[in-house]
């Protein structure tokens, strides 16, 4: 009996790992792009997620949707052939403060649940400090 269960488990694993169809793999570690700490005035907020179709059929991105209106994603309009790369551009509007946004990518990929995968952006937007050249520099009491 144990022998039959073991054979069934091995066959199930073989079926799962040998899926035919398009597969999406993002280049970004953990599907996340880290903006780091950026100045609001110096950064456009545009970042690009690159992905590869590692499957054996064309990958079709059907929808790319953000969790809020401050993040605008764009999707490829043409199918991505097997072995080829594509990109999803994400434009954040650079509100001052922390960035923690999730974008949902919907596709015909067989290696992600229901063809959906979450990609994320993170970081912090700061305002550039204003330097007043007319203001006298402060010195420490030790320097006087």
């Amino acid at each position: 009996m144990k022998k039959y269960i073991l054979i069934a488990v091995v066959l199930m694993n073989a079926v799962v790992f040998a899926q035919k169809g398009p597969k999406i793999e993002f280049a970004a570690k953990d599907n996340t792009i880290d903006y780091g700490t950026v100045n609001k005035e110096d950064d456009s907020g545009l970042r690009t997620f690159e992905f590869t179709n590692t499957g054996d059929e064309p990958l079709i991105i059907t929808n790319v949707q953000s969790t809020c209106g401050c993040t605008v994603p764009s999707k490829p309009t043409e199918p991505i052939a097997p072995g080829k790369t594509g990109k999803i551009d994400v434009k954040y509007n650079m509100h001052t403060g922390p960035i923690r946004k999730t974008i949902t990518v919907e596709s015909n990929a067989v290696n992600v649940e229901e063809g959906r995968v979450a990609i994320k952006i993170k970081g912090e937007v700061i305002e550039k400090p204003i330097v007043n050249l007319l203001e006298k520099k402060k010195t420490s009491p030790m320097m006087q």
Side-chain angles (χ1 to χ4, degrees):
M1 184 68 177
K2 288 181 184 179
K3 192 179 209 183
Y4 293 117
I5 292 173
L6 179 62
I7 292 172
V9 169
V10 169
L11 288 175
M12 292 280 281
N13 283 335
V15 168
V16 169
F17 288 112
Q19 290 176 323
K20 292 239 179 240
K23 297 178 184 176
I24 190 167
E25 297 290 336
F26 283 91
K29 182 181 178 189
D30 299 325
N31 298 348
T32 302
I33 289 182
D34 189 349
Y35 280 59
T37 302
V38 293
N39 287 322
K40 180 178 183 173
E41 297 82 11
D42 296 339
D43 196 308
S44 69
L46 183 65
R47 299 295 188 273
T48 301
F49 283 89
E50 290 190 3
F51 61 89
T52 303
N53 178 1
T54 59
D56 57 5
E57 293 178 19
L59 174 68
I60 300 168
I61 306 295
T62 55
N63 192 24
V64 180
Q65 189 172 345
S66 175
T67 53
C68 76
C70 61
T71 307
V72 180
S74 65
K75 68 178 188 75
T77 56
E78 299 294 321
I80 309 302
K84 299 295 181 185
T85 60
K87 66 179 187 169
I88 295 172
D89 291 326
V90 176
K91 173 95 165 111
Y92 181 69
N93 71 1
M94 302 305 280
H95 284 307
T96 304
I99 304 170
R100 298 279 183 274
K101 302 297 174 196
T102 301
I103 298 99
T104 302
V105 178
E106 296 176 5
S107 70
N108 63 338
V110 296
N111 64 323
V112 291
E113 190 175 332
E114 295 182 16
R116 290 190 185 114
V117 63
I119 56 177
K120 299 175 184 175
I121 58 173
K122 68 180 185 176
E124 184 173 7
V125 179
I126 60 172
E127 290 194 31
K128 196 180 242 183
I130 299 172
V131 178
N132 185 345
L133 297 176
L134 299 176
E135 188 176 295
K136 192 174 186 179
K137 289 186 180 181
K138 294 179 182 176
T139 57
S140 70
M142 302 288 283
M143 300 289 284
Q144 294 179 352

